[in-house]
Amino acid sequence: MSDIVNVDYSTKIPNNVNLTEDRQVLRALEGWHPGYIDWWKTMGPNGFQEALVYLRTAVSVDPKGWAKFDYVKMPDYRWGILLAPHEEGRTIPFGQHYGKPAWQEVPGEYRAMLRRLVVIQGDTEPASVEQQRHLGKTAPSLYDMRNVFQVNVEEGRHLWAMVYILQKYFGRDGREEAEQLLQRRSGDPDKPRMLGAFNEATPDWLSFHMFTFFTDRDGKMQLESLAQSGFDPLSRTCRFMLTEEAHHMFVGETGIGRTVQRTCEAMKAAGVEDPGDIDKVRGLGVIDLPTMQKKLNLHYSLSLDLFGSEVSTNAANAFNASLKGRFQETKIEDDHKLENSTYPVLKLVDGEIKRVDEPALTAINMRLRDDYTADCQRGLDRWNKIIDRVGVSFRFQLPHVAFHRQIGEFRDVTASSSGELVDAATWERQKDKWLPSKDDGDFIQSLMRQVVEPGKFASWIAPPRVGIDNKPGDFEYVKLAA
Ligand code: BYC
C-alpha cells in the first residue's frame, strides 16, 4: 500500500502512507496537530487567517496532475503527508553502501547523523513562514499576495513532511525534536532557528523575491541531495517536496523579473538613460537597478552560508554513510564513492584567494555550492535579457564568494563584492556601496503599499504575463475578510 499515488483524505491528515493502519504514528501526528495550528495562527501570515485564498493543494503524487486549486481559509488548508511513489528495487546510488538495496528503516549506526539532517531541513520550513508573516499587509497585488500565502502553506507542509519522518522513524527523540520545531523562532536571540539566513528579517517584497530566488534555491539543492539518500523514506519525501519547490523559485525569479521590467520601462518612458542616476529613477516610483544589485549581493551571500564549510568532514561523513548525495548523483559518471578523486576549492592561502585541490569527499559542500552558483547565474542571465530588451545599459552580477560571509573559509576576512580583500576600515567605509543601506531600506519601504483591487499592481512591479491556474488578469486571488 505504500506506493499508492492517490491521497487518502478520510483521516484528519491527508496522506499516501497508509496512516489509518499505522495507528501509533497517526496518534503522534494527531497529537502534534493542535500545536502546529496554534503555531500557524500565531506565527503564520499576520492578519489574513480569515481570508479566502485561491490555493493549490496537493491531492496526488502523480506528476501529471497532482494539485487542485480552490478558495481556502489558510488554517483549513489540508496539510498532508505525501511521499513520491515507492520505486521497486531502488538501490543506494552513492557512498559506502553504493549498489545495496535502499533502506526502508533507519540504519542504527547512522541514526544521529540522519536525525540531524532531518531536523535542520525541518527547521528551515517554519522559519521562512515566520520571516514572511508581515508581507500580506504590503502586497503589491492580490496575485502576489496569493503567491506568498501559497509559498507559506507549502513550507508548512514541508515541516509536516519532516515531522512525519521524525515521528515514524525516530521514536521518543523524534517526537521531542518535532516539538522543538514548533518552539524555535526566527530571529529570537533566546531560541533562534538553526541556520543563519533563517534568522534574518524579510522586511519588504524585494527581499521576499530575492529570498525565494536565492534561499529557496539552496532549498532545492539540499533537497536534491537528500532525495538521493539511501534512506528511502527521506528520498521519497524530498522528491515530492521538490515538485512544490519549483513554484517558490518561480515566484522569486518572476517577481524580480517583473520589478526589473517595470524599472526599465519607467526609465525609458521618462528618458532616463543612466541607471546610476538613483534619485531620478526613484522619483519615477520604481526601484533603481543598483539597489536591486545590493539586495542581490545580500541574499546571495547569506544563501552561500547555508552550504556549510567548503571543506567539511560532516559532509564527507554524510556522503560516505550514503545519507546525503550530490546534485543529480545518478547522472554523474564516476565511482560514486569518491575514493581517489579531488575537487578544486577556493581557499585563503597566505592572505590570497587561491584554488586548491582537496579530496572530493571532503569538498562535497563546495561542489553543491558550485552547482548552485551555476543555477543562480542562469536566473541572472534571464534578468539581464529583460534589461537588454528594454534597452537599458546595466548588468546584474553575482558577487564573489568571499564577499560578506559568516561561514566557511572567508568568514574572518572582509572582501569587496568583486573579491578583493580589504581591511576593516575600508569595509566600513564602502559597505553601503555593496549592501543595502538604511536609506535604501527606507526608500523600498516607502513603496510598499498594499494594492487589493483585482488586476491592479503597485507602481514598482509589472503584472505577470499569465495568471495562476490560467486565471484572467483581474481574477480575485484573495477574498479579504470583511
Ligand atoms: N548557520 O561541516 P560544516 C530550505 C554549523 S533551505 C549556522 O561546515 P555541514 C528552505 C553546522 O551545523 C535547505 N550553523 O557544515 C529554503 C556544524 O555544527 P555542528 C535546508 C551552520 O554540516 C527556503 C558546523 O557549523 N536544508 O530548505 O557540512 C525556504 C560545521 O558545519 C551553518 C539543509 O540545509 C549555517 N549556515 O553543512 C524554506 C539540509 N553552516 O554540527 C526552506 C540539511 C554550518 O558542528 N543540512 N553550520 O554543531 C545539511 O546538510 C548541513 O547541516 C548543512 C551544513 C549544509 C546545513
Side-chain angles (χ1 to χ4, degrees):
M1 280 300 277
S2 60
D3 58 347
I4 53 173
V5 168
N6 285 313
V7 177
D8 176 5
Y9 273 88
S10 67
T11 48
K12 197 161 163 190
I13 301 155
N15 70 92
N16 71 342
V17 291
N18 214 6
L19 275 184
T20 31
E21 281 170 34
D22 202 346
R23 302 308 295 181
Q24 208 184 344
V25 177
L26 180 62
R27 260 201 309 279
L29 285 167
E30 285 182 346
W32 186 80
H33 191 209
Y36 172 81
I37 293 294
D38 219 37
W39 167 81
W40 178 270
K41 287 188 172 161
T42 48
M43 296 312 295
N46 186 11
F48 296 90
Q49 302 288 340
E50 291 301 311
L52 283 168
V53 188
Y54 192 69
L55 293 175
R56 77 174 178 190
T57 304
V59 290
S60 154
V61 291
D62 181 349
K64 285 192 227 89
W66 57 273
K68 82 173 181 14
F69 286 84
D70 207 349
Y71 284 106
V72 183
K73 280 188 188 172
M74 285 185 277
D76 302 335
Y77 188 79
R78 303 294 305 272
W79 283 285
I81 313 287
L82 286 88
L83 273 60
H86 178 74
E87 259 177 43
E88 208 50 52
R90 177 173 179 258
T91 56
I92 298 175
F94 66 93
Q96 228 177 333
H97 305 280
Y98 177 63
K100 306 230 176 81
W103 299 302
Q104 301 305 324
E105 295 295 332
V106 174
E109 58 191 312
Y110 304 137
R111 196 170 193 279
M113 207 191 307
L114 191 55
R115 193 184 73 188
R116 177 177 168 277
L117 289 172
V118 172
V119 168
I120 295 183
Q121 180 62 48
D123 191 67
T124 61
E125 314 290 359
S128 69
V129 175
E130 292 163 5
Q131 288 172 296
Q132 295 162 13
R133 68 186 299 258
H134 298 296
L135 291 171
K137 289 183 175 155
T138 53
S141 71
L142 290 182
Y143 167 89
D144 292 287
M145 186 188 282
R146 176 256 168 221
N147 280 350
V148 69
F149 295 158
Q150 182 72 60
V151 169
N152 293 160
V153 292
E154 286 174 351
E155 299 302 6
R157 202 197 69 72
H158 294 177
L159 170 62
W160 276 89
M162 291 300 129
V163 165
Y164 168 71
I165 298 278
L166 287 169
Q167 293 191 332
K168 177 156 173 77
Y169 297 99
F170 290 89
R172 176 198 287 266
D173 31 327
R175 288 194 292 278
E176 280 167 14
E177 294 283 13
E179 266 321 300
Q180 289 301 312
L181 286 168
L182 294 178
Q183 301 305 322
R184 285 185 288 272
R185 291 286 179 270
S186 173
D188 185 327
D190 298 326
K191 40 178 183 162
R193 292 293 173 183
M194 298 173 88
L195 300 179
F198 293 90
N199 289 301
E200 299 282 331
T202 308
D204 57 62
W205 277 77
L206 185 56
S207 287
F208 169 62
H209 289 144
M210 290 288 178
F211 184 97
T212 41
F213 182 85
F214 286 110
T215 307
D216 279 77
R217 184 167 264 92
D218 165 57
K220 163 182 152 182
M221 302 310 286
Q222 301 292 348
L223 289 173
E224 288 271 4
S225 310
L226 294 173
Q228 305 291 339
S229 186
F231 179 51
D232 208 40
L234 180 61
S235 161
R236 291 173 54 204
T237 299
C238 291
R239 272 183 269 151
F240 188 66
M241 288 162 75
L242 281 162
T243 316
E244 291 164 314
E245 204 62 40
H247 174 67
H248 307 185
M249 284 175 294
F250 162 88
V251 168
E253 180 170 334
T254 55
I256 303 292
R258 289 161 52 212
T259 309
V260 169
Q261 173 99 26
R262 182 73 197 99
T263 298
C264 293
E265 284 171 356
M267 286 171 64
K268 274 281 146 190
V272 179
E273 287 294 323
D274 177 8
D277 194 341
I278 286 170
D279 291 340
K280 256 202 194 140
V281 177
R282 288 184 178 183
L284 304 171
V286 294
I287 305 173
D288 54 285
L289 300 174
T291 298
M292 282 189 235
Q293 174 71 57
K294 289 197 240 176
K295 281 273 201 189
L296 180 164
N297 292 348
L298 175 66
H299 287 271
Y300 176 66
S301 57
L302 288 171
S303 301
L304 289 183
D305 281 343
L306 296 172
F307 289 83
S309 303
E310 290 81 350
V311 176
S312 161
T313 48
N314 281 346
N317 290 339
F319 183 87
N320 231 350
S322 306
L323 296 182
K324 186 179 172 198
R326 292 170 292 176
F327 181 56
Q328 302 192 325
E329 182 70 47
T330 49
K331 295 191 185 146
I332 300 172
E333 285 191 19
D334 65 7
D335 66 350
H336 298 283
K337 293 185 170 184
L338 302 179
E339 275 169 345
N340 299 306
S341 46
T342 60
Y343 189 84
V345 173
L346 278 188
K347 292 187 90 171
L348 207 54
V349 183
D350 301 328
E352 276 183 61
I353 299 171
K354 292 214 167 116
R355 222 162 254 285
V356 181
D357 279 342
E358 288 285 338
L361 199 53
T362 56
I364 289 281
N365 287 343
M366 178 77 192
R367 180 179 178 128
L368 189 65
R369 207 186 71 192
D370 283 344
D371 289 331
Y372 167 79
T373 296
D375 207 39
C376 290
Q377 184 60 53
R378 283 191 281 275
L380 263 73
D381 292 345
R382 287 188 285 268
W383 296 334
N384 285 334
K385 271 213 187 88
I386 298 176
I387 304 177
D388 282 350
R389 234 181 280 133
V390 186
V392 170
S393 159
F394 188 88
R395 292 194 80 68
F396 288 121
Q397 277 183 333
L398 289 174
H400 194 277
V401 292
F403 171 75
H404 187 236
R405 301 296 308 281
Q406 323 289 323
I407 299 280
E409 196 60 26
F410 304 108
R411 68 180 182 276
D412 296 325
V413 296
T414 39
S416 70
S417 64
S418 55
E420 289 156 61
L421 296 177
V422 296
D423 60 27
T426 312
W427 168 264
E428 273 310 311
R429 256 197 331 276
Q430 306 263 45
K431 70 172 194 287
D432 284 355
K433 262 182 28 194
W434 301 318
L435 291 172
S437 66
K438 179 164 182 319
D439 279 357
D440 297 330
D442 290 347
F443 168 70
I444 295 171
Q445 259 332 311
S446 75
L447 293 180
M448 298 294 126
R449 296 273 175 272
Q450 194 188 51
V451 176
V452 293
E453 196 181 324
K456 292 275 185 287
F457 288 80
S459 65
W460 56 272
I461 192 164
R465 257 185 295 170
V466 277
I468 293 293
D469 193 29
N470 283 320
K471 292 294 175 206
D474 60 354
F475 185 71
E476 193 175 6
Y477 288 100
V478 183
K479 294 185 182 175
L480 298 167

